[in-house]
Every structure is written in structure tokens, then in C-alpha cells.
Amino acid sequence: AIEFEFEINCEAIDTMMESMTFLKSNNCAAVCTEDEAPDCFRHYLIVQSHHDFCPEEGIPEEIEDGFHDFDTACTAPCAIDRKATEGAEDCPVGSCDKGPGDDAYAALILNDCGKDCSSDECKDLYFTLRYQHDKCEHDTISSASEEGMHDLEVPCGIHKCNYDGVDNNLVCVDDHDDHDHGDDHGDDHDEETDIAREMGDGAS
């Protein structure tokens, strides 16, 4: 956010929607690299960072579902975890192998967790699906599971957990090997960069 000059603000719905509209209106699902389509790339980062960081109940459905139309052509240089929920348990450590997330989604539907997600079984299945959605490559789960998970966020949103037990997840882990802004930048690719320090109260 600092590098590309935007603010992560979970209350900035208009900003999120403006960026999503730009992505849809400018063929960004086809070309979205920083070099070839810098405006698409920047607007994708705005959508991606808010989608990944902000509590799901505050993200418009158009962002939740539409985001995945662009996550193949658009590749973010780093990823952040969802904003921590005070008092929530630690998320269970999951797997990024293909299969568990889709199986969990199928079981969530089979067990009518979309109607009542209060059981421990629904909770465990939801956390399995959530982990693969949040922490793994986008093709780890199917498009149906991705979009279906967002439908389940309302009934299953009663279950909260925090990744890695941290209090503030507004940390960008740089994994973009091609991104070069200086002679010593390559040495920093695997280091965590705390982008919260300059965000102030914007990430709320």
C-alpha cells in the first residue's frame, strides 16, 4: 500500500468499488501485469488488500465474488492475512494440498451448514475451507468452493479465528521475484515489511 500509494481502510467501500469497476471496465482480467497494465495492477492491489485483510462482513458481495475473476491475470507482489479479531482463537494450521478445501465445501453443503453453522463439525469444515481460501494458491480450491465460501461467511461467520496468533496482520510478505526498485531490493524479498506503520488509523 505504501509503495503503490493507497491506504488500506476497511470502511472505504466507495474506494473498493471504484477499483473493482475499473478492473471490470478495462479488460484487466486479460492483461494485468505491473509492466503492461500498471493501472489495472494498482487497482487490483487495492481490491486484493481489502478483500484479504478486512472482516468479511464489511466487504461488498461484488468484491468478495468478483475478486476471483482477476486473481489469475493479476498477481499481487505480496499477501497479507485477515485483520485479527480480538479474543478469537488461533486458526488451525491447514494444508495447501488440493482436495481438503473442496471436500470441506461439499461437506458443508451436505450438512446444511449454510442454514445452521453452529455445530463443531460445521466450524471445523469452515476453518478448513477458509484456510485454503486465505492461505493457499488461488487454484487450490475450485471456483465453486471459492464463491460458495463467501455465501457461507454469513451463517458461518459466527466462528472467528486469527492466523498465527498475531494481533495485527497488516504485514506484507514480499514474494514477487520480478519486482525491482533498487540495487538492494532483491535482498529483501523474503523479509516481512510492516506496512501498518504508515497506515495510521486507516486500516480500521
Side-chain angles (χ1 to χ4, degrees):
I2 293 171
E3 181 177 356
F4 292 95
E5 299 181 349
F6 66 87
E7 181 181 60
I8 299 176
N9 181 347
C10 295
E11 297 178 358
I13 302 300
D14 288 345
T15 298
M16 300 180 210
M17 291 304 300
E18 286 170 5
S19 288
M20 177 57 73
T21 298
F22 183 93
L23 293 173
K24 290 181 176 180
S25 302
N26 289 274
N27 200 33
C28 297
V31 180
C32 191
T33 64
E34 183 180 1
D35 293 335
E36 295 180 291
D39 289 337
C40 283
F41 184 75
R42 182 177 182 275
H43 281 286
Y44 175 75
L45 292 182
I46 293 171
V47 171
Q48 177 255 350
S49 58
H50 286 85
H51 170 277
D52 289 356
F53 178 72
C54 299
E56 55 268 18
E57 58 268 21
I59 302 297
E61 186 176 350
E62 295 92 333
I63 299 291
E64 290 279 21
D65 292 339
F67 164 77
H68 296 291
D69 294 336
F70 301 94
D71 60 4
T72 298
C74 306
T75 303
C78 63
I80 57 176
D81 285 333
R82 192 167 300 276
K83 183 178 182 180
T85 300
E86 185 176 358
E89 63 184 278
D90 289 350
C91 294
V93 177
S95 165
C96 282
D97 294 335
K98 290 187 176 181
D102 288 335
D103 291 345
Y105 175 64
L108 284 159
I109 299 304
L110 182 65
N111 287 281
D112 285 331
C113 298
K115 296 179 180 178
D116 181 1
C117 199
S118 59
S119 70
D120 287 341
E121 181 178 14
C122 287
K123 172 186 173 182
D124 292 343
L125 290 168
Y126 179 67
F127 282 167
T128 297
L129 178 59
R130 172 107 254 172
Y131 183 92
Q132 292 216 320
H133 174 275
D134 291 351
K135 304 290 281 185
C136 305
E137 295 293 331
H138 72 89
D139 60 350
T140 304
I141 57 176
S142 67
S143 296
S145 295
E146 282 185 330
E147 295 177 7
M149 194 209 69
H150 294 308
D151 295 333
L152 290 165
E153 284 175 334
V154 174
C156 295
I158 57 175
H159 304 300
K160 306 287 187 183
C161 67
N162 296 325
Y163 291 117
D164 303 323
V166 298
D167 294 326
N168 186 351
N169 291 352
L170 193 54
V171 171
C172 178
V173 181
D174 190 348
D175 58 6
H176 188 184
D177 294 335
D178 298 327
H179 206 59
D180 186 8
H181 288 284
D183 293 337
D184 59 354
H185 183 76
D187 296 333
D188 298 330
H189 276 304
D190 295 325
E191 295 181 5
E192 291 187 347
T193 302
D194 187 351
I195 60 175
R197 66 183 182 275
E198 295 186 26
M199 289 294 98
D201 295 329
S204 57

